[in-house]
Amino acid sequence: MTTEFELKLKMLHEQYGNLTLEERKAMKECLKKRYPLTFRKTENLKHDILRLETKRCQLELDPTHYQELAKVEKRVLEKKEAFFKLLNEVKQKESRR
């Protein structure tokens, strides 16, 4: 399961691209100033992703819970995709300005 998860995660990163450290910092400042509700939404998504990643790591250690691990991995991918889509939308809005 984890190799499939890692492949899908890599595909997500390739699809939406990676931001450099400077771009991430600028994006965070822009979100805070211009889009406070979107900033809160991204922070909530990051918190959910971190919580699910922690649960996924715990389940990885116990091989008897592979079905639950698959469900958690699916939820992690969904949350990460939503997070990347949100950042991509803001990036496109800012590029139009």
Side-chain angles (χ1 to χ4, degrees), residues 1-58:
M1 270 307 184
T2 57
T3 57
E4 182 181 324
F5 172 74
E6 290 171 3
L7 278 173
K8 288 181 180 180
L9 190 59
K10 189 179 282 190
M11 288 173 55
L12 271 179
H13 281 283
E14 289 173 4
Q15 180 181 359
Y16 291 103
N18 290 327
L19 297 174
T20 64
L21 187 59
E22 293 83 24
E23 289 174 334
R24 281 189 260 159
K25 187 176 180 181
M27 179 74 71
K28 186 175 180 177
E29 290 301 317
C30 175
L31 282 171
K32 274 186 178 181
K33 289 181 182 178
R34 294 188 184 158
Y35 309 103
L37 295 177
T38 306
F39 175 73
R40 301 272 319 256
K41 189 173 181 179
T42 59
E43 292 298 311
N44 286 338
L45 278 171
K46 286 191 324 189
H47 175 74
D48 289 344
I49 291 168
L50 184 63
R51 181 182 54 79
L52 287 169
E53 281 285 341
T54 304
K55 187 172 184 177
R56 185 183 75 82
C57 289
Q58 289 173 347

Side-chain angles (χ1 to χ4, degrees), residues 71-97:
K71 290 178 186 177
V72 170
E73 286 177 346
K74 182 180 176 189
R75 288 179 59 203
V76 167
L77 289 171
E78 289 170 357
K79 294 279 185 179
K80 283 197 181 228
E81 186 171 11
F83 179 73
F84 288 145
K85 280 183 183 178
L86 195 61
L87 286 182
N88 200 16
E89 288 173 9
V90 171
K91 191 175 179 180
Q92 289 176 353
K93 282 181 187 178
E94 287 302 308
S95 67
R96 288 185 221 144
R97 285 186 170 205

